Amino acid sequence: MKTILVTGANGYIASYVRKENHHKFNWITMTRKDADLSKPEEVEAFLKDKQFDICFHTAANATTAVCEENPELAHKINVESTQKIIEACKKNQARLIFCSTEQVFNGKENHGPFNEEESVSAVTVYGKNKIECEDLIHEQLDDYLILRFSWMMGLSFDKVKASPSIIKNVMNALLHQTPTLFTCNERRCMTYAKKLAQQFEKITALDTGTYHVASKNEMTTYETAVYIAKELKASDEAIAKYILPNKERYSERFRDYRLDSSKLENLGITFGTFEENIEEILKDFGWDR
């Protein structure tokens, strides 16, 4: 049985993947208590005596505002600590599974969906950090997977705390009767994290390379919010009152950084459509009644 060291072990993706695959691998966890990624030397010290076959590197600071306000801190967390992880993988002759992002395309003028061969371009600190990490991996490792994630969504359950997502945002708007803006000038893929967790073992065996993890979506973010509200049986009046179109955000340039996941689909790893993902989430958590 292979041993996986997972960073960001308490995060949504890492905890979901571990819960779904806890009997398939031996797990070594790294959390903020073990090593502070803003101090790369702590990461190096934690990894020094660890032996593993795979490193699943999920830890990062993905909060756009924090990264923009503190670019040096973001670089330490997202890039310099990743370099320490790359070095540990080389020492262990281990495979690195690196969590990248759709944000490596947020500077593109042309519209998605983008496949893995598309050149990257980012305008945010976080997106640029991830591009730099991808370059470091290409330069230094022969055995790796770069998984570019779309917006991963879901709801919290036993020992798995979901990150903010479109479905949680819509639910909060309706349940708390809080008028909430959703972007009209944006298209992005939104994927049920369960799809990744259930296919993770198969993913670990893929050939070295970059892969896009995303369901298909043709709607704007506002349109997806309205769709979810309707699936939750919200009235037209409630939708009009609480699910509001934000026509100003990105009005200067429509953003479309959807990912084309055909490469994985051709290998039998599929993520379905946004509509199918929403149906499955609502069914899994009893909101389809």
Side-chain angles (χ1 to χ4, degrees):
M1 186 181 291
K2 290 187 176 181
T3 296
I4 297 183
L5 184 146
V6 57
T7 70
N10 291 333
Y12 180 41
I13 296 300
S15 56
Y16 207 147
V17 167
R18 279 199 298 132
K19 188 175 182 67
E20 194 71 33
N21 297 273
H22 66 284
H23 289 314
K24 298 175 182 176
F25 302 96
N26 294 317
W27 294 91
I28 301 172
T29 59
M30 188 179 98
T31 69
R32 192 174 300 175
K33 291 181 179 179
D34 298 309
D36 183 345
L37 267 72
S38 68
K39 301 173 182 177
E41 65 276 10
E42 289 191 8
V43 176
E44 182 178 29
F46 177 80
L47 295 173
K48 186 176 181 180
D49 61 352
K50 301 296 184 295
Q51 295 183 333
F52 52 91
D53 304 296
I54 298 170
C55 176
F56 184 34
H57 183 27
T58 75
N61 190 323
T63 305
T64 299
V66 173
C67 292
E68 293 298 321
E69 293 168 6
N70 303 278
E72 291 184 4
L73 177 64
H75 195 268
K76 284 184 179 294
I77 294 170
N78 294 331
V79 181
E80 294 173 38
S81 284
T82 295
Q83 174 60 39
K84 299 301 183 183
I85 288 165
I86 290 171
E87 292 167 7
C89 287
K90 289 173 68 175
K91 179 182 176 183
N92 280 275
Q93 295 185 313
R95 161 163 281 202
L96 175 59
I97 302 178
F98 176 71
C99 295
S100 191
T101 173
E102 62 187 3
Q103 301 297 326
V104 299
F105 295 112
N106 67 24
K108 301 288 285 188
E109 296 288 341
N110 54 314
H111 287 208
F114 299 114
N115 64 30
E116 291 83 352
E117 302 306 314
E118 180 81 21
S119 61
V120 294
S121 175
V123 294
T124 61
V125 169
Y126 177 62
K128 291 175 181 177
N129 284 170
K130 287 296 187 178
I131 291 173
E132 187 173 352
C133 288
E134 290 190 13
D135 288 342
L136 290 173
I137 292 166
H138 290 142
E139 292 166 5
Q140 300 177 60
L141 294 178
D142 295 320
D143 189 7
Y144 63 84
L145 300 175
I146 294 172
L147 303 180
R148 291 181 182 149
F149 291 121
S150 56
W151 194 4
M152 305 302 282
M153 60 182 178
L155 298 173
S156 299
F157 62 102
D158 181 37
K159 297 181 181 179
V160 178
K161 183 179 179 181
S163 302
S165 68
I166 187 71
I167 193 164
K168 290 181 69 177
N169 294 345
V170 172
M171 284 182 168
N172 286 334
L174 295 172
L175 292 172
H176 300 294
Q177 298 184 346
T178 304
T180 304
L181 290 168
F182 295 88
T183 307
C184 294
N185 301 305
E186 172 188 77
R187 285 193 184 91
R188 58 194 298 193
C189 296
M190 304 171 193
T191 310
Y192 190 7
K194 173 184 173 183
K195 301 288 187 181
L196 168 72
Q198 290 187 331
Q199 299 176 97
F200 182 76
E201 183 178 22
K202 190 172 183 179
I203 288 171
T204 65
L206 291 169
D207 289 341
T208 288
T210 301
Y211 299 89
H212 288 174
V213 176
S215 65
K216 294 181 173 64
N217 178 41
E218 298 298 327
M219 293 183 278
T220 66
T221 299
Y222 169 68
E223 289 168 344
T224 62
V226 171
Y227 180 88
I228 292 168
K230 289 181 177 179
E231 290 298 297
L232 289 168
K233 310 297 191 297
S235 66
D236 290 342
E237 291 77 13
I239 293 172
K241 190 172 183 179
Y242 304 119
I243 309 299
L244 306 180
N246 186 341
K247 298 180 181 179
E248 298 301 318
R249 193 181 190 201
Y250 309 132
S251 59
E252 74 285 354
R253 180 172 66 86
F254 190 96
R255 298 204 314 176
D256 181 355
Y257 40 83
R258 290 172 295 161
L259 301 177
D260 179 348
S261 59
S262 299
K263 184 176 178 181
L264 281 179
E265 288 176 13
N266 291 336
L267 296 170
I269 298 171
T270 61
F271 303 97
T273 66
F274 167 76
E275 294 90 339
E276 290 168 345
N277 279 221
I278 291 299
E279 180 182 4
E280 189 167 348
I281 292 171
L282 297 182
K283 182 178 180 181
D284 285 349
F285 290 89
W287 287 86
D288 60 335
R289 301 185 181 93

